[in-house]
Amino acid sequence: MPIRYSPMTRLEFLRGAAVAAMALPFMARSAVAGGGALSGGATEWTQMLNNSELVSLVGKSAEQVNNQIRQITQLAEQIQNQLNIYSNMLQNTAQLPNHVWGQVQNDLNQLRNVVSQGQGIAFSMGNIDDVLKQRFQSYADFKTSLPNNASFSQTYQNWSSTNRDTIGGTLRAASLTADQFSSEEATMSQLRTMSEGADGQMKALQVGHQIATQQVAQMQKLRGLVSQQMTMMATWYQSEQAEKDLSQARRQEFFKSTAPSMSGGQEMRPRW
């Protein structure tokens, strides 16, 4: 009856070939010793099997070492990622070494001072309404107390000085803000440079805060100019109205006076 062999897989073939290759040195050594497989060489086969198990154990140990190396590599990568996160956190929380605020307070003080000169009326006056009422009287005031020639001259001079000084102060304020453009542009140039060089979130936020502060300062200066312009217009309109009220009071005083008596006069005759 013919002998049938089961088909052998590639892995089984390679494994058998490896065992046979490992067994060849021991078989050769046994043949040289003269023992042979049939004359008591069983111990050689036992040693060959033990060596095969040793090779298997060494393979498993190598695989364990590889697994440990992979775990150590993954742990090193995790530590490096944590170090990167910590470095980014330090970078994002780093603050600017210096701050640029500009001469905002000084500019606003100059703006307030330049319009408060002479007899001009400035927007920074706390009692601006009372000052206007005091210098430019109303029609009711003129009816009760009409100025005479001497007082009218002084009153008109006060009106003229108030208008001129107010207009001059407004123009000086506009010129002052124009002169401040160069320093303001220098400040904004520094802020733009700091914004471009910001390497963290905190620095970017601080630069943005300083730019917003500069915008608020510009709005305050603009408010000062607009307020002074409104004050100048109000002063001019008030003086115009006061002059009209004074003229009307004088006309009314003139027409309500009684005409002088014509009796007892001398007849006008031509004299030749």
Side-chain angles (χ1 to χ4, degrees):
M1 183 175 179
I3 299 174
R4 297 180 179 179
Y5 296 96
S6 60
M8 181 180 298
T9 63
R10 180 179 179 85
L11 179 61
E12 292 175 350
F13 175 78
L14 294 176
R15 184 180 301 171
V19 173
M22 294 174 57
L24 286 176
F26 297 101
M27 293 175 65
R29 191 183 310 150
S30 176
V32 172
L38 298 176
S39 59
T43 57
E44 297 294 337
W45 287 104
T46 302
Q47 292 178 358
M48 182 175 64
L49 292 177
N50 291 335
N51 290 331
S52 177
E53 293 179 357
L54 180 62
V55 170
S56 178
L57 291 175
V58 170
K60 293 181 180 180
S61 298
E63 185 178 359
Q64 292 178 356
V65 171
N66 290 331
N67 292 332
Q68 292 179 355
I69 292 176
R70 284 195 297 269
Q71 293 177 358
I72 293 174
T73 303
Q74 293 177 356
L75 181 60
E77 291 178 354
Q78 292 178 358
I79 295 175
Q80 184 64 38
N81 292 332
Q82 292 178 354
L83 290 176
N84 292 335
I85 293 174
Y86 183 70
S87 177
N88 292 332
M89 183 178 65
L90 292 178
Q91 184 177 7
N92 290 330
T93 55
Q95 297 186 4
L96 292 173
N98 54 356
H99 300 274
V100 179
W101 301 110
Q103 302 294 329
V104 179
Q105 188 65 32
N106 187 27
D107 293 344
L108 293 176
N109 290 333
Q110 290 182 2
L111 183 62
R112 283 192 293 265
N113 295 331
V114 76
V115 296
S116 301
Q117 297 180 5
Q119 296 188 12
I121 298 179
F123 72 94
S124 56
M125 290 182 176
N127 57 340
I128 183 172
D129 187 51
D130 296 335
V131 174
L132 287 174
K133 289 181 180 180
Q134 179 182 3
R135 297 191 185 183
F136 305 102
Q137 298 178 352
S138 64
Y139 178 71
D141 296 331
F142 289 135
K143 284 182 64 176
T144 57
S145 177
L146 191 64
N148 53 28
N149 293 334
S151 59
F152 174 74
S153 177
Q154 183 63 35
T155 301
Y156 189 82
Q157 182 178 354
N158 292 335
W159 293 353
S160 177
S161 299
T162 299
N163 282 322
R164 289 179 179 275
D165 292 344
T166 303
I167 295 173
T170 305
L171 295 177
R172 285 191 298 270
S175 177
L176 177 63
T177 56
D179 294 338
Q180 294 170 352
F181 285 165
S182 58
S183 61
E184 292 169 355
E185 177 59 27
T187 301
M188 291 305 301
S189 178
Q190 294 180 10
L191 291 177
R192 284 192 295 267
T193 303
M194 294 170 63
S195 177
E196 294 174 356
D199 56 354
Q201 295 180 359
M202 179 62 71
K203 292 182 179 179
L205 290 175
Q206 288 180 339
V207 173
H209 176 65
Q210 294 179 16
I211 293 176
T213 303
Q214 290 297 318
Q215 292 178 346
V216 172
Q218 296 299 322
M219 291 298 296
Q220 290 177 332
K221 294 180 182 179
L222 181 60
R223 284 178 55 192
L225 285 178
V226 174
S227 299
Q228 183 59 29
Q229 182 182 9
M230 294 175 61
T231 302
M232 178 186 66
M233 295 174 63
T235 303
W236 177 260
Y237 291 149
Q238 192 81 357
S239 64
E240 287 289 318
Q241 186 62 40
E243 187 176 354
K244 292 179 181 179
D245 292 342
L246 179 58
S247 300
Q248 179 62 26
R250 287 188 177 279
R251 285 194 296 268
Q252 185 176 355
E253 183 68 20
F254 175 77
F255 285 112
K256 77 176 183 178
S257 62
T258 58
S261 177
M262 301 297 295
S263 61
Q266 187 177 12
E267 183 180 359
M268 181 180 291
R269 296 178 181 179
R271 299 182 182 274
W272 306 105

